[in-house]
Amino acid sequence: MESEEHMEIRQMATAFLSNGSDMLMMKAGSRLFDFEFWGGIGGHLEQGELNAPMTASYREIEEETGFKQEDVEHFRLRYILLEVSGGEIWQQFVYFGETKHRHFVPSDEGELFWIPLDEVLDLHSSILIKATLRHYLQHPGAEEIWIGNVQSGTDLKGTPQVIWNRMQETIAFEPKGVINSVEI
């Protein structure tokens, strides 16, 4: 891994939109591999969006599907995903929402399909996206924002796993009388 002073940060926004019992998924080819993979709607945050990933997500939705902000309901941030890839820190803001109708515009980014929710986990997608979709489907009414990151080899087979933590308000000061302990 590159030294920390040379690491770049890549920030992205991704949206998963549902309508009834289907989720809108994008099938795209890979520049790195010889197979297709599935994901949500999204892309990189532009300079003016660095403090407003929801704005970036709405922009990407309109560019890639034709859905406008008023076509999407119950749209909210549910996950912040972190990983290190190619010497970069990737931070991905993942939103979920529902569309008022099913009429999307074809995208240059990939092919769009409405996929039944019970088939979404059968699609070929990255470890982090599949884990996010699995977590979302297992906690359908959750209000919390979850932070997920990939840890290499955390199970008995050495397979990468996604570790989830619920985002909480920060406690600004340590209570008096607490003894500092550091786990190494």
Side-chain angles (χ1 to χ4, degrees), residues 12-183:
M12 298 159 285
T14 300
F16 288 97
L17 303 174
S18 60
N19 184 280
S21 61
D22 296 329
M23 185 170 285
L24 187 60
M25 299 291 292
M26 181 177 285
K27 180 172 72 168
S30 171
R31 290 176 225 133
L32 303 175
F33 306 105
D34 61 350
F35 55 79
E36 294 173 332
F37 64 94
W38 295 79
I41 311 306
H44 294 89
L45 273 62
E46 293 179 356
Q47 192 63 39
E49 299 167 335
L50 295 178
N51 291 322
M54 184 179 270
T55 301
S57 195
Y58 277 126
R59 175 185 52 77
E60 290 286 348
I61 289 169
E62 188 166 350
E63 287 175 6
E64 295 181 10
T65 71
F67 286 116
K68 297 188 181 327
Q69 184 171 342
E70 56 269 15
D71 297 323
V72 180
E73 299 177 306
H74 312 294
F75 193 67
R76 42 188 294 280
L77 178 64
R78 289 290 306 271
Y79 297 91
I80 299 171
L81 309 177
L82 300 168
E83 67 182 305
V84 175
S85 181
E88 294 180 322
I89 297 171
W90 289 11
Q91 182 179 31
Q92 188 170 5
F93 299 91
V94 182
Y95 294 84
F96 282 81
E98 300 165 13
T99 62
K100 293 180 179 179
H101 60 83
R102 298 173 68 91
H103 310 293
F104 58 79
V105 174
S107 173
D108 293 341
E109 301 284 328
E111 293 179 82
L112 295 166
F113 296 91
W114 288 107
I115 305 292
L117 288 173
D118 61 357
E119 295 176 20
V120 167
L121 295 178
D122 297 332
L123 302 175
H124 191 259
S125 57
S126 74
I127 291 168
L128 201 48
I129 291 300
K130 188 166 284 199
T132 302
L133 291 169
R134 182 179 299 113
H135 194 274
Y136 176 77
L137 292 170
Q138 289 171 347
H139 304 89
E143 295 291 321
E144 301 92 0
I145 297 171
W146 292 86
I147 300 170
N149 72 311
V150 178
Q151 298 287 315
S152 296
T154 55
D155 70 358
L156 295 175
K157 296 178 188 172
T159 334
Q161 300 291 310
V162 175
I163 308 301
W164 295 108
N165 288 296
R166 187 169 48 91
M167 184 174 261
Q168 300 178 49
E169 284 287 328
T170 302
I171 298 172
F173 299 98
E174 193 172 83
K176 240 181 155 181
V178 172
I179 300 171
N180 291 335
S181 63
V182 177
E183 253 185 77

